[in-house]
Amino acid sequence: MNSAPKRSDALVSRRGGLPPPVHAAAPPTTARLRAEELVAELDRAHGISADIHELRSGNAIVSVYRGLLAYSDGENFWWTSPKLDGSGDHLLSAASDSTTAAERLAEHYEILRARPLTTLLGCELPLLADVILAEHVDPR
């Protein structure tokens, strides 16, 4: 007969009779779910791959291209992009549904892709690293 304790006995005795903790994943926020809708629509309708980043504020960012970040608060999407007229000015755009947001973002994506990356470095469009840094660094 084997006298070694079973694995479950060892866990129970080490934790004072309590079973090991179970860490359930937090449910996705509404902003995350809306961002996932946008990412799926960008891919399905326009062949554009994008990433989602959740912020401590509860909002989510969809990173479409360098300088093209769409924010979601769970209800709407908004982003800053170059004006379509090529003037170099910036435009604040918004949409309440993922289909419209994806269509507009696809237009802005094409404009930005046509520009050399070096021109995007000096412009005032937001960069993902800057947004994430601002959200996660305590200025104190």
Side-chain angles (χ1 to χ4, degrees), residues 29-43 46 48-55 57-74 76-81 93 95 97-98 101-106 108-109 112 126-129 131-132:
T29 63
T30 305
R32 170 75 188 211
L33 294 172
R34 292 290 307 223
E36 289 173 359
E37 290 174 17
L38 178 57
V39 167
E41 186 67 17
L42 283 166
D43 185 43
H46 305 283
I48 297 172
S49 296
D51 299 323
I52 300 171
H53 305 271
E54 291 182 84
L55 301 176
S57 63
N59 293 340
I61 295 179
V62 175
S63 175
V64 181
Y65 192 71
R66 183 174 192 88
L68 187 55
L69 306 175
Y71 297 80
S72 170
D73 61 2
N76 299 299
F77 301 101
W78 68 96
W79 61 96
T80 305
S81 62
S93 300
D97 66 277
S98 57
E103 288 171 4
R104 293 179 187 164
L105 282 163
H108 300 150
Y109 172 83
L112 289 173
L127 298 178
L128 180 61
V131 174
I132 291 175

